[in-house]
Amino acid sequence: MRITQERLKECLFYSPIVGVFEWRRSGPKVRRGLLAGAVVGNGYVRVCVDRKLYPAHKLAWLYMTGEYPEGPIDHIDGDRSNNAFKNLRLATCSQNSHNMRLHRTSTTGVKGVTMVRGKYEASIRKNGVYAFRKVYETLEEAEEAIRAKREELHGEFANHGLHRYEQEELANL
């Protein structure tokens, strides 16, 4: 049986601004006021309540709305451990995937742009089929085109990944 909002509020306090849970009462292996949960290998925070693990972002949604979400909850900023309520929104699986960041192995530094025979191919796939695919002479042209198309196709769920200039800045730190 899934946790209810009432039971959740008996056990934990949630700070919607910071996005963390604290224990309301002391008990075996927990102390009142201490943070609840831990970041797991995939970057999400998990919280154990009544011997059952829950994703913290789904508990945050339950705490604030009274409903446990059946589908995905999207982290707007792409940070899976940022469970501030303003950073969470209901999404479909497809919408949630649009908000993924730039893959670490990107050679161009631009999400959705690859180098093909000395030119830059900008592409977006939807359900395994190309929704957009064009070749450009310069990286700047491809980047501008892919950003515009991503905004058109994905709206508020469009995530452009880190801009290549931001990546360079981070690399130089």
Side-chain angles (χ1 to χ4, degrees):
M1 183 161 162
R2 190 177 290 150
I3 191 168
T4 64
Q5 184 188 44
E6 180 182 10
R7 178 64 180 147
L8 178 61
K9 288 185 173 185
E10 284 175 12
C11 297
L12 298 166
F13 169 76
Y14 170 67
S15 170
I17 294 171
V18 181
V20 296
F21 286 93
E22 295 177 7
W23 293 105
R24 285 197 183 267
R25 298 185 226 159
S26 294
K29 299 183 182 181
V30 298
R31 295 185 71 114
R32 178 185 168 94
L34 288 181
L35 292 179
V39 177
V40 294
N42 60 7
Y44 290 105
V45 176
R46 299 267 189 244
V47 179
C48 187
V49 181
D50 297 332
R51 296 187 197 142
K52 185 168 181 189
L53 276 175
Y54 294 95
H57 53 285
K58 290 200 173 199
L59 290 181
W61 196 266
L62 172 63
Y63 196 99
M64 297 298 289
T65 69
E67 295 186 17
Y68 192 91
E70 293 303 320
I73 295 286
D74 182 52
H75 291 80
I76 296 168
D77 69 358
D79 179 354
R80 294 173 172 178
S81 66
N82 179 0
N83 293 309
F85 192 68
K86 70 177 184 177
N87 188 48
L88 304 176
R89 62 185 169 190
L90 291 173
T92 64
C93 289
S94 178
Q95 289 169 327
N96 197 29
S97 70
H98 300 325
N99 196 19
M100 290 173 48
R101 292 183 175 216
L102 177 67
H103 196 274
R104 287 187 202 120
T105 61
S106 172
T107 56
T108 64
V110 179
K111 183 178 174 183
V113 177
T114 56
M115 189 148 204
V116 179
R117 293 187 280 283
K119 297 191 181 199
Y120 297 92
E121 180 181 274
S123 64
I124 299 173
R125 286 179 181 249
K126 187 169 184 171
N127 300 324
V129 177
Y130 284 106
F132 175 74
R133 186 179 187 189
K134 289 190 178 177
V135 176
Y136 297 89
E137 293 292 325
T138 68
L139 179 58
E140 290 75 18
E141 290 173 319
E143 181 177 18
E144 186 178 318
I146 196 90
R147 283 175 177 269
K149 196 61 167 181
R150 195 175 285 117
E151 291 289 334
E152 178 189 321
L153 292 173
H154 306 316
E156 69 178 291
F157 287 89
N159 182 326
H160 305 295
L162 283 177
H163 189 282
R164 66 184 187 325
Y165 303 114
E166 294 171 311
Q167 285 183 317
E168 290 168 11
E169 284 179 26
L170 287 174
N172 291 330
L173 292 179

